Amino acid sequence: MGPDGLHEAAPETLADGRKKTISYGILAAHDTSSDPSQLKLKFDSLISHDITYVGIIQTARASGLREFPLPYILTNCHNSLCAVGGTINRDDHLFGMSACEKYGGIFVPENQSVIHSYAREMLSGCGRMVLGSDSHTRYGALGTLGVGEGGGELVKQLLSRTYDIAPPQAIAVWLEGAPRHGVGPQDVALALVGAVFANGFVKNKVLEFIGPGVEKLSVDFRNGIDVMTTETTCLTSVWQTDELVKEYFRIHGRPEEYRKLMPQQGACYDGAVVVDLSAVEPMIAFPFHPSNVWSIREFLEHPEDILEEVEQKAQKQIANPNLHLDLKSKLHNGRFRVEQADIAGCSGGSFENLVSAARIMDGKSIPNEFFSMSIYPASGPVLMELLKTGYIQKLVSAGAILKSAFCGPCFGAGDVPANGTIAIRHTTRNFPNREGSKPKENQMASVALMDARSIAATAINGGYLTPATEVDYDDIMPMYHFDSELYNKTVYNGFGKPRPEVELRLGPNITDWPAMIPLQKHALLEVVSVIPDPVTTTDELIPSGDTSSYRSNPIRMSDFTLSRRDPAYVGRAKAVQRQENLRQAGTPDEALQGIFRAVCEKTGYSQDADQLMKETGLGSVVCSNRPGDGSAREQAASCQRVLGGLANICVEYATKRYRSNLVNWGMIPFTWDSDLTERLHCGDRIFLPEIAAAVERCDPAAEGWLIPGDGSAPEKISLSLQGLTSEEAQIILAGCLINYYNTEKN
C-alpha cells in the first residue's frame, strides 16, 4: 500500500474495508452495543488532572458513586502549591488523595509527572482505550486510543455507563520519507495542523498513522506528533506499532502491553493525508492558534508581510480594543527577536527533545539582558535520566532554568511573559491569553509555537529566530533507561482496595454543585452574548490560568465566564437568572410579568400570561459561529449553566466534547443554519413553546419566535436539534447529568 495506490473504493468495498482498520478493531473490542450505528464504549482506564478531578468526583458522588470500577488516575500537574484566588491548591490535592483512598483510585503527587507523560509511561497499552478529562489525551503512538472529554463523560464511566458515539470515520495519515537534521516532532505536528484544521477535514474523525515513514521515527518523536493531533479537531489517533514500540514497553517494565497493530489487507479509509517527512521544515505557529503556521524559512524571507497578516488576524481575537498585537517591533534589521523560551509539558518535555536542545546549547550561553529560557522535564523518571546522562547540566550551564514537571506554561500559570513581549514555546497551544497575560488589565503578551530544537538554536543566537537546520549538532539519541522507583515511592495505588470509611478532605472552597431544575414545558431564552469570531475557543468561554484556582467552587468560578471575550456577559446572565429565581419562587415582579404579557401579545400565543409564566423556564443563551475548539474543560459549559444558561446556538460545534459538555450540564445544543451573529443581538429573546416535548421526542428542530430586543416585529424561527439522542434528551430534560442519575435511582 502506498500513496500512489490510494483510490476511491466502491461503497460496499468501503464498508468492508473500514472493518480492517486499526481503529475499528480497537473500538469493536470496547463496544457493548448491539446497534452498529451507535457505539457504546467502555474504557480500560480514566485519567484527570487537578483542574478537573474535583468537579468530576463531586458530580459522580452526587450521582451515587460508591467506588471506582476501573483504574482512575489523578495527577497534580496544573497548579503550583500556593494560594491563588479562591482555592488553596493543596486543599484540592488532599481532596484527590482522600478520594483515591475512599473510592480506590491512583494518586500521582505534584511535581512527579505531567498527566500525559504518566499515562504513556504507566497506563498505555496496544489495543487499550483511555478516557481523559484533558483534550490532549492522546496515546496513539503506543497503540492506545486516547479520548479527551469533559468531566461528564468520565462520570458516566465511573457509574459503569458507556461513552456513546456514532462510529467515527477514519483518516489515513500516510508517512513517508524521514525527517531531515534539525526537524523535530513539533515541526511535523504543526505542518499537519496547518494543513487540516481550517478545512475541517479530520474533525471528529480518527487519524491512523501508517506507512513506511513510521519506522523512521523514534517513539518519543511519534508521541510528540501524536499529542498535537488534538489541534486538528480529530476525535482520537492511533499508529501502527513495531519493534520500537515493543522496546518502549520493555524499557518501561510492561512488555505484556505490546502487540503488533497494522491495518489488515484491504483496509479502507474515509480520506487520507500524505506527509513526506523529508519535506517538512522547521515551523513556527504565530498567535493565536497552532494552525497559524509558516515555515521559519518562509517567514524570514518575508517577515513584514507575514507579520502584517498575523497582526490583522489577531486583532479580531483581542477582546480589549485598546490593546494591539505588535510583532513588527520585534524586527531588527530584518531579524525577528523574541524575549522568552520554554520547552515544557506533554509535547515538549520529553527526553529526546531535551537531549537535542542540550546538544545544541552545549558549551554556548543564552543572552541574559532580556531573554529567559525554562525547561520542564515531563516526568520525574525523565528528569532522573537527564541528570544521570549529564544533559541537564549542559542546559543549565548554558543559562536555562530547570523546573519540575508542571503544565503551567501550557495554560497560563508559569513563565507569564512581560507585557508586549512574545515567547517561543514547545508546548501545545498559543490561544489568546493562554500564556497568562490579562487584557482587562491592559497586559497582553503572546506565544509562538516551535520545536525544541529550533528554540535551542534561537536561544544560542541571542533570541534571534533561527531554524535548527542551520545548527550543527549530534542528533543520534542515547539509550533511554526508565527507572520506576520514583513512582513506586510516591504514587498511591488504591485501585481495587476502596476504603468507604475514609472521609473526603473538603477545603473551604471545595463546594457542591448548585441545584439545577429540570427543563420546563416552554423556554424563554434571552441572548446575553453574541460572539462573531469564526471560532471560539474553550479558553475564551472560560479562561485558564489564575481563574482555575476557583475550579472547585462552581459559583465563584462562573464569575469568570467569558471574562476575556465578553466581560459584560456575567452581568447580563445574572440579570436573567434573577428573573428566573423570582419565577420559581412564585414572586414575580412587574418587570417579569410584563415580559410574559409581551410574549403573548407579540407571538399571538393564546395562553394566559400568568399561566405561561408558571410553565416557562427563563434562561440565557450564548450565540457564536463555531464554539468549543481547544480544551476539554467542562467548566466552559457548567459555568454557563451555573449562571442560568439553558442553551447555546451556533452554526456548528467545533468539537464533539464541547457539545457533550453542554448536554451533560442540561443545556440544549442548538444549531442554526443562518448568519446568526448578524441576526441575533444581546437583549433579543427566543420563545420556544413545548420545547420539553420536542426534546423528549428528539425532534429534528424546535419551532419558536425570535422577539427582537429593539421592539421590531417578531419572526418565526426553527432551531435545529439534529443529532440529539434519546439519552441526551433525557439528561437535558432532567436538568443535568446529576439529576438524570438521581431520577433513575428514584
Side-chain angles (χ1 to χ4, degrees), residues 362-382:
D362 188 16
K364 312 291 196 311
S365 64
I366 63 177
N368 58 17
E369 72 274 15
F370 72 97
F371 183 91
S372 65
M373 179 176 178
S374 297
I375 54 171
Y376 296 74
S379 72
V382 168

Side-chain angles (χ1 to χ4, degrees), residues 55 279 306 335 337 383 397 404 426 458 477 534 619 661 677 690 706:
I306 290 174
R335 303 173 71 194
R337 198 181 199 192
L383 172 59
S397 294
S404 62
H426 191 155
T458 298
M477 282 295 130
N661 286 338
T677 59
E690 307 295 337
L706 169 61

Side-chain angles (χ1 to χ4, degrees), residues 183-263:
V183 170
Q186 187 80 324
D187 298 317
V188 178
L190 292 177
L192 177 63
V193 173
V196 302
F197 172 79
N199 59 22
F201 182 61
V202 303
K203 178 183 174 183
N204 293 333
K205 301 173 185 176
V206 181
L207 299 187
E208 288 202 13
F209 288 79
I210 56 177
V214 173
E215 66 181 22
K216 305 296 184 182
L217 305 177
S218 70
V219 175
D220 244 14
F221 202 114
R222 299 177 203 181
N223 283 333
I225 298 171
D226 187 67
V227 74
M228 289 294 291
T229 60
T230 297
E231 307 312 322
T232 70
T233 70
C234 73
L235 176 71
T236 184
S237 55
V238 70
W239 296 54
Q240 66 185 50
T241 61
D242 54 19
E243 291 299 308
L244 291 179
V245 178
K246 184 177 183 180
E247 178 66 4
Y248 178 94
F249 284 115
R250 186 198 67 78
I251 290 170
H252 287 79
R254 301 188 295 122
E256 72 282 358
E257 294 295 348
Y258 175 76
R259 64 185 175 91
K260 190 174 182 62
L261 298 177
M262 289 285 289

Side-chain angles (χ1 to χ4, degrees), residues 319-637:
N320 187 338
N322 298 317
L323 293 179
H324 301 276
L325 182 67
D326 177 16
L327 296 181
K328 289 195 286 291
S329 65
K330 310 302 177 188
L331 288 173
H332 303 272
N333 297 321
R335 303 173 71 194
F336 189 74
R337 198 181 199 192
V338 301
E339 290 95 345
Q340 189 191 71
D342 282 326
I343 303 173
C346 55
S347 62
S350 70
F351 179 75
E352 291 187 5
N353 284 336
L354 292 172
V355 166
S356 295
R359 285 176 167 171
I360 290 170
M361 300 177 71
D362 188 16
K364 312 291 196 311
S365 64
I366 63 177
N368 58 17
E369 72 274 15
F370 72 97
F371 183 91
S372 65
M373 179 176 178
S374 297
I375 54 171
Y376 296 74
S379 72
V382 168
L383 172 59
M384 293 291 287
E385 187 67 4
L386 290 166
L387 286 168
K388 290 176 183 177
T389 53
Y391 288 104
I392 285 294
Q393 289 90 327
K394 297 180 189 299
L395 288 163
V396 173
S397 294
I401 303 167
L402 173 63
K403 299 187 178 180
S404 62
F406 179 46
C407 293
C410 293
F411 79 107
D415 295 335
V416 178
N419 180 55
T421 63
I422 184 168
I424 52 173
R425 294 184 174 177
H426 191 155
T427 56
T428 54
R429 288 192 173 128
N430 60 341
F431 292 167
N433 315 122
R434 180 170 266 258
E435 76 298 311
S437 61
K438 300 179 180 180
K440 285 203 301 184
E441 298 178 23
N442 294 313
Q443 180 192 357
M444 187 181 72
S446 59
V447 165
L449 299 181
M450 288 169 49
D451 186 81
R453 293 150 189 80
S454 292
I455 289 174
T458 298
I460 63 171
N461 197 26
Y464 289 103
L465 190 64
T466 305
T469 46
E470 296 182 3
V471 178
D472 184 26
Y473 69 98
D474 178 7
D475 57 5
I476 298 175
M477 282 295 130
M479 180 68 69
Y480 178 73
H481 301 90
F482 175 79
D483 185 352
S484 63
E485 190 61 23
L486 184 63
Y487 290 154
N488 294 338
K489 292 176 179 177
T490 61
V491 174
Y492 173 80
N493 189 341
F495 177 62
K497 298 170 287 187
R499 296 163 55 197
E501 71 279 7
V502 171
E503 295 291 331
L504 291 176
R505 295 283 294 269
L506 297 172
N509 262 298
I510 298 177
T511 62
D512 292 328
W513 291 101
M516 297 170 192
I517 70 168
L519 183 67
Q520 302 295 286
K521 181 178 181 180
H522 318 296
L524 182 61
L525 308 178
E526 182 167 330
V527 177
V528 292
S529 184
V530 179
I531 306 172
D533 304 347
V535 178
T536 304
T537 68
T538 307
D539 279 35
E540 291 169 295
L541 293 165
I542 184 66
S544 60
D546 60 341
T547 61
S548 295
S549 70
Y550 293 92
R551 63 201 173 273
S552 305
N553 188 322
I555 293 176
R556 295 188 69 182
M557 178 78 170
S558 67
D559 282 338
F560 292 96
T561 313
L562 279 168
S563 59
R564 292 178 182 168
R565 186 61 190 85
D566 185 0
Y569 160 79
V570 171
R572 297 190 194 110
K574 286 185 174 181
V576 178
Q577 189 175 42
R578 283 192 292 270
Q579 292 175 332
E580 169 63 3
N581 291 339
L582 291 173
R583 187 198 71 82
Q584 289 182 34
T587 57
D589 58 13
E590 177 57 33
L592 182 58
Q593 292 172 327
I595 289 171
F596 280 95
R597 286 195 296 270
V599 168
C600 291
E601 293 168 3
K602 289 178 178 293
T603 65
Y605 202 67
S606 58
Q607 194 165 353
D608 172 79
D610 288 338
Q611 183 62 31
L612 181 64
M613 180 168 55
K614 293 177 182 178
E615 298 177 343
T616 303
L618 275 73
S620 54
V621 60
V622 172
C623 306
S624 55
N625 285 308
R626 192 180 173 210
D629 180 35
S631 173
R633 285 177 297 138
E634 65 181 286
Q635 293 100 328

